[in-house]
Amino acid sequence: MNRGTITILPKIALLSAVFFWGSSFIAMKQAVLGFDAGKIIFFRMLLASIVFLLLFRFWGKITYQKGDWRYLALMAICEPGIYFFLESQALRWTTAGSAATINALQPPIVALLALILLREHPRFWTLVGFACCALGAIGLSLCSEGSPYAPLPWLGNLLEFGAMVASGVYIVLLKKLSDRYSPFFLTALQSFAGAILFFPLLFIGDPISASIPIPSGVAIVYLATFVTFGGYYLYNWGVARTSAIEASVFLNLIPVFGVGLAYLVLAEVPTFSQSLMIAFIILGVVICEIGAEYLPSPIQFLRTKVAQR
């Protein structure tokens, strides 16, 4: 396998993962017709765990290193545990637009944590791309219609920020552990932990109906297989083969895919302003990926010019 293929495959995996995660908003709209959100999370984790058990021979050799249980446990608790819980609660108190705005902070949070814990230094063009993505995501949120029901927006925004921090810790820990464990094993661990953590939600709220609408059932199966199993595995595999900072850039595309699929599947037409912001986010990702790889920073450019004189 040549170097170009080795470089592009992790990016394809990351792009595919965020596509599946972006599509989860469409599937959730169908799933909630038959289940409440808590039960959906449990069943998608349970079904994903069953898939991993059926494919256990692909886990690879597991050589446990002493003391890693702390990192493994913290990773699983952060995501899906804390992340899913805080994100589901945040929307009870704030608007969807505000929550999406807070999501734009995730890549910079990952970059800061990676700098502190992994000593990964972001390159100049990566920072420029981050800025474009953040501005585009904030603009996309401001251009979207928010829900009028937001009794405590400051609390909801704070919970959403906590979810982003938890997800950032998860990505950094994942990168740290990916040198010692296969992405398949780490993803399976997340599913098992999620099924255990969210099991009590089965007994909270309305009881499960005996007659489940077919669209809701299909949506839950999709969420379990493509979104949880496929999305997390592809993202974990991509993180293992690139830096935590570069992998976090792709998270900005989740709302882009969400809006695009809402247009294709639900006929929700984006406004001109939304389309412009989506283009801005895509530009930011391109700058991060192409600029950081092929363009020198301004300081390097000046040094080269001075050396040529």
Side-chain angles (χ1 to χ4, degrees):
M1 186 178 294
N2 59 46
R3 186 180 181 278
T5 304
I6 294 174
T7 303
I8 196 66
L9 283 180
K11 301 184 189 307
I12 294 175
L14 294 169
L15 188 65
S16 301
V18 297
F19 172 81
F20 289 137
W21 289 343
S23 70
S24 68
F25 298 104
I26 314 301
M28 279 293 289
K29 285 194 173 185
Q30 290 295 329
V32 295
L33 297 176
F35 290 93
D36 62 50
K39 293 180 176 60
I40 291 171
I41 294 174
F42 168 73
F43 279 114
R44 64 187 282 191
M45 291 296 168
L46 177 64
L47 290 175
S49 298
I50 293 173
V51 173
F52 277 112
L53 286 175
L54 294 175
L55 300 174
F56 71 93
R57 63 179 179 274
F58 295 106
W59 287 25
K61 185 178 180 181
I62 302 172
T63 305
Y64 175 77
Q65 295 193 22
K66 185 177 180 181
D68 277 355
W69 68 269
R70 292 170 293 184
Y71 302 120
L72 293 167
L74 182 58
M75 184 192 73
I77 289 172
C78 284
E79 192 169 341
I82 296 174
Y83 173 79
F84 278 176
F85 175 76
L86 290 181
E87 183 144 275
S88 64
Q89 294 301 311
L91 291 175
R92 295 176 56 193
W93 306 106
T94 189
T95 64
S98 296
T101 301
I102 302 299
N103 264 265
L105 297 174
Q106 187 174 27
I109 290 173
V110 173
L112 179 61
L113 291 173
L115 175 63
I116 296 173
L117 301 177
L118 301 178
R119 298 295 187 266
E120 289 185 3
H121 295 272
R123 288 174 284 186
F124 173 80
W125 290 109
T126 302
L127 295 175
V128 172
F130 273 161
C132 287
C133 290
L135 290 174
I138 292 172
L140 182 61
S141 300
L142 295 176
C143 294
S144 303
E145 294 183 3
S147 170
Y149 184 70
L152 289 174
W154 65 268
L155 177 59
N157 293 339
L158 183 62
L159 292 172
E160 185 66 24
F161 180 77
M164 294 302 101
V165 174
S167 182
V169 173
Y170 148 75
I171 292 174
V172 171
L173 288 174
L174 174 68
K175 179 60 181 177
K176 179 180 180 66
L177 292 167
S178 64
D179 293 335
R180 304 196 283 272
Y181 303 96
S182 72
F184 206 91
F185 166 74
L186 293 173
T187 314
L189 177 66
Q190 283 183 271
S191 297
F192 298 145
I196 294 171
L197 289 171
F198 293 107
F199 175 72
L201 297 181
L202 277 180
F203 308 100
I204 300 175
D206 298 330
I208 300 175
S209 173
S211 58
I212 302 172
I214 293 178
S216 297
V218 172
I220 291 175
V221 172
Y222 175 81
L223 287 167
T225 53
F226 286 88
V227 178
T228 300
F229 172 80
Y232 273 104
Y233 173 70
L234 288 170
Y235 193 81
N236 293 353
W237 187 86
V239 169
R241 286 157 178 78
T242 186
S243 71
I245 294 175
E246 287 181 290
S248 69
V249 174
F250 286 85
L251 298 174
N252 290 288
L253 291 174
I254 292 176
V256 175
F257 285 128
V259 172
L261 289 170
Y263 168 71
L264 294 174
V265 179
L266 303 176
E268 295 180 359
V269 182
T271 64
F272 172 77
S273 298
Q274 288 175 318
S275 301
L276 189 62
M277 292 302 104
I278 288 172
F280 209 60
I281 293 173
I282 294 174
L283 174 63
V285 174
V286 171
I287 290 174
C288 284
E289 293 304 313
I290 297 180
E293 188 75 22
Y294 300 105
L295 298 178
S297 69
I299 295 178
Q300 291 175 325
F301 179 78
L302 291 174
R303 286 176 177 173
T304 303
K305 288 297 182 182
V306 170
Q308 291 174 350
R309 291 181 177 178

